[in-house]
Amino acid sequence: MRQSHRLSRRAALAGLAAGTGALALGGPAVVGQARPRVVVVGGGAGGGTAARYIAKDSAGAIDVTLVEPNRRFVTCFHSNLYLGGYKTIEDLSHGYETLATANGITMAHDSASAIDRDARVVRLLSGQRLSYDRLVLSPGIDLRYDSVPGWGQDHEQRMPHAWQAGPQTELLRAQLDAVPDGGVIVMIAPPNPYRCPPGPYERVSMFAARLTKARKTRCKIVIIDPKESFSKQALFEQGWERHYRGMVEWLGPKIHDGVKRVDPATLTVETGFETYKEAALVNVIPAQWAGAIARNAGLANASGYCPIDPASMRSAIDANIFIVGDACIAGDMPRSAFSANSQAKVAAMAVRGELTGSRTFPARYSNTCWSLLWDDDTIKVGGQFEPRPDKITSTAPFISQPGDSAETRRQNQAENMGWYAGLAADIFG
Ligand SMILES: Cc1cc2nc3c(=O)[nH]c(=O)nc-3n(C[C@H](O)[C@H](O)[C@H](O)COP(=O)(O)OP(=O)(O)OC[C@H]3O[C@@H](n4cnc5c(N)ncnc54)[C@H](O)[C@@H]3O)c2cc1C
């Protein structure tokens, strides 16, 4: 029983309100100790940012180790632009050398295999053990391979997901380029909650853009969606009508009555409404939950994601652990790289504050999700967010309008490209 490390939300908030943070409730205070240790698991949008900000803002006072198996990180964000032919895979690939050397971070290119929360130790696959005063987890999502009947990990080459970027993304584009004019593409969209709410629909736009540029305009893209509605729906549908008339068909659950079965061998998708036989391409985006390292450590609730304290990103279950990015339950914030980066800065500040005794400020979060529809036609949705006792809450939402001028859409795309460059620099140093 982890009684001493367990922290109810009420207790955490009471501790924070009293100015004691959760130190008294969690592990021992380490202010004054030589070089407190922080381990960060996951070198993506959340973990890279957290590691960098903890190391940078503590100016070497905290010993930071970042655990990430990959030596190069390929971003999911803007991977749809690669599918559409607007970016190269090199544009999406980032190394860790600058992040490590410029900020004094120790890289452990390994996977965390388990967390011993009582001993405050992260075990790595290599057998190495990393002890920590505070642990930041940003392992992203795992795919639920059992969520689409007939499809599983063995079939991800035949029916790619490309929802974790890298070889899958390149495979999906190769399959897209092999689609003949008149071919049918079927996308099985994911149920809520999942990484990047507008992502499937931007991806469809990018499929259509690449097909159009290859003069394969007789193709059809059918979206089998388990959701009644989706992010920026009216804007996407208007864009599809404007740029790709007749090419994209979205089917909600009342129409298709569920995916009954897929057959990867014959690229067949059977729904309650229709069976798509010998599709030219099937993109299965399955259900998702928090990365296994967080779930296996007992940090997730029944939803499969990890509850946090909205004011600090501290785990609601373990006071020594902070969870950011797609793995956490961030209230009104969508699962995006922008959100993960914003949450990681809040967690980094809280960690730095309690380990070095330095000043902290009230948490503020922000997010924008841009989606490219066609050349220089980009829509966006976003807002500001504040911690409330029950959840991170949207305070100033905004969304593009169907009547936006072409110039507004062009400016959105310029913002989108600038955001990516700025974010990559903010994460990878
Ligand atoms: C097609 C697509 C398009 C997207 N477009 C956008 C966009 O335009 N804008 C936007 O803001 N967001 C976008 N996103 C969402 C964005 O990619 C994610 O929300 C973001 O990457 C989440 O950050 P994270 O740190 O939680 O996870 P990730 O960035 O996925 O990082 C997780 C890291 O943890 C590592 N890891 C996992 N388990 C372990 C372990 N046990 N030990 C060590 N390391 C581990 C993984 O290797 C990985 O590197 C998009 C996503 C997709 C799929």
Side-chain angles (χ1 to χ4, degrees), residues 61-240:
I62 298 176
D63 179 336
V64 180
T65 300
L66 176 58
V67 183
E68 164 61 51
N70 301 305
R71 287 183 184 269
R72 290 192 76 69
F73 182 79
V74 181
T75 62
C76 266
F77 36 111
H78 280 197
S79 64
N80 285 332
L81 274 60
Y82 163 73
L83 296 174
Y86 294 87
K87 282 203 160 183
T88 67
I89 207 78
E90 291 71 36
D91 293 335
L92 308 180
S93 305
H94 306 272
Y96 292 97
E97 301 80 12
T98 308
L99 173 64
T101 52
N103 300 287
I105 295 167
T106 304
M107 287 303 304
H109 282 298
D110 202 338
S111 285
S113 55
I115 299 166
D116 182 338
R117 285 168 38 201
D118 292 328
R120 283 191 277 132
V121 166
V122 176
R123 270 186 275 142
L124 306 185
L125 271 186
S126 61
Q128 200 185 344
R129 294 162 64 87
L130 300 174
S131 54
Y132 62 82
D133 295 301
R134 296 293 180 273
L135 173 64
V136 180
L137 294 179
S138 193
I141 46 106
D142 275 356
L143 303 174
R144 303 196 69 162
Y145 283 103
D146 59 355
S147 62
V148 176
W151 185 84
Q153 192 156 16
D154 289 348
H155 310 117
E156 66 183 14
Q157 297 301 310
R158 191 84 178 125
M159 293 181 168
H161 54 79
W163 219 243
Q164 286 160 327
Q168 275 279 306
T169 320
E170 294 184 83
L171 175 67
L172 182 59
R173 195 168 90 174
Q175 293 191 0
L176 175 64
D177 287 347
V179 169
D181 193 15
V184 174
I185 297 176
V186 180
M187 170 188 279
I188 299 179
N192 287 323
Y194 64 97
R195 150 177 289 184
C196 195
Y201 314 99
E202 181 187 51
R203 175 173 288 180
V204 164
S205 311
M206 293 295 93
F207 283 172
R210 194 153 175 91
L211 293 169
T212 300
K213 289 181 183 187
R215 299 181 196 283
K216 295 192 253 186
T217 49
R218 291 189 301 118
C219 289
K220 268 224 164 264
I221 306 168
V222 182
I223 309 164
I224 312 287
D225 208 321
K227 305 181 290 296
E228 298 283 358
S229 61
F230 60 88
S231 171
K232 295 186 273 195
Q233 181 162 357
L235 294 161
F236 275 112
E237 290 180 337
Q238 184 198 45
W240 296 338

